[in-house]
């Protein structure tokens, strides 16, 4: 399969990026001159710039578009106002997660969606099949690039570019940069205050260059998917294919807060309500190493006597905490504070069960 390239591919090559396949795209994993640890540190302490153009983009448009989306996806769009964004999920009738995505409510007639790269076609196809006459669902995956500016100094970078920074968390505003119309979204996947710029693909290079130049006085660093993963794991944020999948429902992922339980209908409602009521499925928990063990996906989680409790879905070394952390699906009987054992390459390593995030977020800071 030929991998898709971001419109910023040449910038990544020029910066010495180590490229890897992700969701069918050839994307930067890390950059020369520091790698994942330096990039992670930049986001936690200063500011980092990510190319996340692999993320999907889709537009639902027409009379009743918002109501239609609301009848399909889990969260309740009636909870937010026009100009706001909302985390939501697309489920099948068995409760499995086709994808998690962000819905941008532009009006009652227009909703912009950002799904994950590998799942965009499936989400669009499902919405297209369900859409009534008068509502059009368009795949705009290649039409836009997305740049994420994340970190405590992100406001300074945007301010120097005359971009808005005073809108609330999970809201968006239209703006211009380098003479180009863009959307500035106060969203992100790192736990730090930050923004995502939705930019027409044809102008992505100009915007990247402008942001990078504006960020140089603030120590901006280009960041790849490696740092994005350590940052999101520290926050306990799910990644589709790990904490969410066709086999892992929002209830199992403890994402019930993103489900509008009172809505009359959405895909998978009956099965998700059953799981919520019966409380027999494994659920997502955090694990933090008591020693030096570094957990990885697929490793078994055991009780102190060797009985099986679950499996790690994401695991890494936390650059902030300097120890191993993990997300794991475990039996509901496991309590926060309990000690469990993880089989780390044949060694029994002790971990403490905890509720993510592993560090204090600053995402919603004013």
């Amino acid at each position: 399969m030929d991998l898709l390239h971001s419109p910023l591919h040449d910038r990544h090559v020029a910066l010495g990026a180590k490229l890897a396949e992700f969701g069918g795209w050839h994307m930067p994993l890390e950059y020369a001159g520091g790698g994942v640890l330096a990039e992670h540190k930049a986001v936690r302490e200063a500011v980092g710039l990510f190319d996340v153009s692999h993320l999907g983009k889709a537009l639902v448009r027409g009379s009743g578009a918002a109501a239609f989306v609301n009848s399909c996806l889990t969260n309740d769009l009636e909870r937010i106002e026009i100009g706001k964004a909302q985390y939501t999920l697309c489920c099948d009738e068995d409760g499995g997660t086709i994808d998690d995505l962000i819905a941008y409510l532009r009006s009652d007639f227009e909703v912009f969606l950002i799904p994950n790269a590998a799942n965009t076609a499936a989400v669009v196809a499902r919405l297209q099949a369900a859409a009534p006459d008068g509502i059009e669902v368009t795949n705009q995956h290649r039409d836009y690039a997305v740049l994420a500016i994340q970190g405590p100094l992100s406001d300074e970078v945007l301010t120097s570019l005359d971009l808005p920074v005073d809108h609330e968390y999970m809201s968006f505003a239209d703006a211009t940069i380098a003479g180009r119309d863009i959307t500035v979204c106060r969203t992100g996947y790192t736990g730090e205050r930050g923004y995502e710029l939705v930019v027409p693909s044809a102008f992505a290079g100009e915007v990247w260059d402008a942001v990078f130049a504006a960020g140089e006085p603030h120590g901006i660093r280009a960041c790849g998917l490696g740092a994005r993963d350590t940052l999101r794991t520290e926050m306990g944020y799910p990644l589709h294919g790990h904490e969410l999948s066709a086999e892992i429902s929002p209830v199992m992922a403890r994402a019930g807060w993103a489900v509008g339980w009172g809505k009359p209908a959405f895909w998978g409602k009956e099965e998700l309500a059953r799981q919520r009521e019966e409380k027999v499925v494994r659920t997502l928990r955090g694990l933090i190493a008591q020693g030096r063990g570094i957990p990885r996906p697929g490793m078994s989680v055991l009780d102190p006597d060797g009985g099986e409790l679950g499996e790690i879905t994401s695991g890494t070394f936390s650059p902030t905490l300097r120890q191993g952390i993990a997300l794991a699906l475990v039996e509901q009987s496991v309590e926060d504070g309990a000690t469990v054992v993880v089989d780390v390459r044949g060694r029994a390593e002790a971990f403490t069960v905890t509720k993510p995030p592993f560090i204090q977020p600053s995402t919603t800071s004013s």
Side-chain angles (χ1 to χ4, degrees), residues 64-79 86 88 111 127 260 263-267:
F68 164 66
V69 171
N70 207 31
S71 71
C72 300
L73 307 184
T74 62
N75 215 333
D76 190 351
L77 277 175
E78 293 185 1
R79 292 173 176 170
Q86 184 182 69
T88 188
V111 182
L127 288 168
K263 293 197 303 182
F266 58 86
W267 293 334

Side-chain angles (χ1 to χ4, degrees), residues 90-93 96-100 119 122-123 126 240 245-246 267:
C90 176
C91 293
D92 60 29
E93 296 307 323
T97 310
I98 297 169
D99 202 15
D100 61 333
N119 303 323
V123 170
R126 190 174 177 90
H240 194 276
S245 70
W267 293 334

